[in-house]
Amino acid sequence: MLGVEGVSVSFPGHTVLHDVGFTVQAGQFCGLIGSNGSGKTTLLRTILGFQKPEAGRIRVNGARGAASIGYVPQKILLDPYLPLRARDLVSLGLDGGRLGLPFPSRKRWTAVDAMLEAVEAGPFADQRIGDLSGGQQQRVLIAHALIRRPSLLLLDEPLANLDVRSVAGIVALLHRLCIEQGIAVLLSAHDMNPLLPVMDRIVYLANGHAASGSTQEVVRSEVLGGLYGYHIDVIRVHGRVLVVAAGSPEDSGPLHAHDPVHVARVP
């Protein structure tokens, strides 16, 4: 469904991605994991066609370039006083890019209602979007991205700033939709732990490079050490993963214990 082949992206004085490659098949849930500045958003923008790579290519659904892609961006500022209901926002996903007002029809609203029910947002479909909680807004944004039935869904940090219960609910929802609709899901996050029960594959970004495969194949000391450029310990405890980096202060820039990707430096 998605093929990223040898993609490199640079900005003036800085290489963000270097020879990144991985695949995601239909019906697979893939986590794109990395700390701030690792290139997650740049990679998603490249897949969408917003950023042109210096090298490599992107194939979506077997074709070159972006085909049927749904996208939930990292930050959407919703005015709490905007007179827009949840169902109105989802309906914009059908033809929000077209000029003129959409023609209201029963078929249109049936499709909107069906998608709202699919993401368990039916009970607040008629509420003002600005009055919804963070978790409820994410469900509406996912419905907006899926209303045109894409084959690939990209989500940029959809779990950021959500409470633990909302995170669990969104992850379970996306996993269910991935299975039921057979779509490929690529979700970027700092913290891999909420995704561990549902991830089929992981793409781990660090220092512009990527390692991809199953969690067992990628989240290992030797693999992550190769990405970071110094020794990495991977500690598994109580069903969670802690990545601990042992290195000197001059190694590769600062890493902090509070970073949600769980990379901590020890002396």
Side-chain angles (χ1 to χ4, degrees):
M1 188 59 68
L2 171 65
V4 178
E5 304 172 10
V7 166
S8 297
V9 177
S10 296
F11 298 128
H14 178 52
T15 298
V16 181
L17 302 172
H18 178 70
D19 195 26
V20 171
F22 62 93
T23 60
V24 185
Q25 302 299 327
Q28 284 189 332
F29 193 116
C30 181
L32 176 61
I33 308 300
S35 57
N36 281 331
S38 61
K40 300 189 301 297
T41 297
T42 297
L43 178 56
L44 294 180
R45 287 177 55 82
T46 304
I47 295 170
L48 287 163
F50 298 157
Q51 176 69 47
K52 185 177 180 179
E54 295 178 13
R57 61 182 179 177
I58 307 288
R59 292 185 178 272
V60 180
N61 202 14
R64 190 168 182 175
S68 178
I69 302 178
Y71 177 50
V72 179
Q74 184 175 9
K75 293 181 180 179
I76 295 182
L77 298 178
L78 298 171
D79 188 338
Y81 301 106
L82 185 68
L84 191 69
R85 300 173 301 172
R87 69 168 67 251
D88 298 326
L89 180 60
V90 174
S91 72
L92 290 175
L94 287 171
D95 48 18
R98 302 174 188 171
L99 295 175
L101 296 174
F103 183 76
S105 68
R106 176 172 295 181
K107 181 179 179 180
R108 175 189 183 85
W109 292 115
T110 297
V112 170
D113 288 340
M115 187 53 63
L116 284 165
E117 290 298 328
V119 300
E120 301 170 6
F124 46 87
D126 290 309
Q127 291 187 35
R128 192 195 304 249
I129 190 70
D131 293 337
L132 302 181
S133 68
Q136 290 173 332
Q137 287 186 357
Q138 280 294 350
R139 289 176 184 270
V140 174
L141 292 171
I142 292 168
H144 172 273
L146 291 177
I147 189 66
R148 296 182 68 180
R149 302 291 179 177
S151 55
L152 171 65
L153 178 62
L154 307 180
L155 305 103
D156 194 357
E157 299 283 2
L159 309 180
N161 303 317
L162 297 182
D163 59 52
V164 174
R165 183 176 180 180
S166 295
V167 166
I170 294 298
V171 170
L173 167 69
L174 290 169
H175 185 231
R176 176 173 60 79
L177 292 172
C178 182
I179 295 173
E180 291 179 354
Q181 300 189 15
I183 60 175
V185 173
L186 180 62
L187 182 154
S188 77
H190 294 299
D191 186 0
M192 75 183 83
N193 285 294
L195 306 179
L196 289 177
V198 303
M199 275 194 301
D200 299 299
R201 295 179 63 79
I202 184 173
V203 177
Y204 201 115
L205 287 178
N207 288 336
H209 297 272
S212 65
S214 68
T215 306
Q216 291 74 19
E217 292 170 337
V218 173
V219 187
R220 295 161 41 193
S221 296
E222 58 271 30
V223 175
L224 298 187
L227 291 179
Y228 282 107
Y230 44 80
H231 179 72
I232 294 287
D233 287 318
V234 176
I235 302 171
R236 290 176 168 84
V237 57
H238 301 304
R240 295 178 65 82
V241 174
L242 180 67
V243 178
V244 181
S248 60
E250 59 271 15
D251 284 335
S252 185
L255 297 171
H256 304 287
H258 63 261
D259 191 315
V261 80
H262 293 304
V263 182
R265 186 180 301 286
V266 296

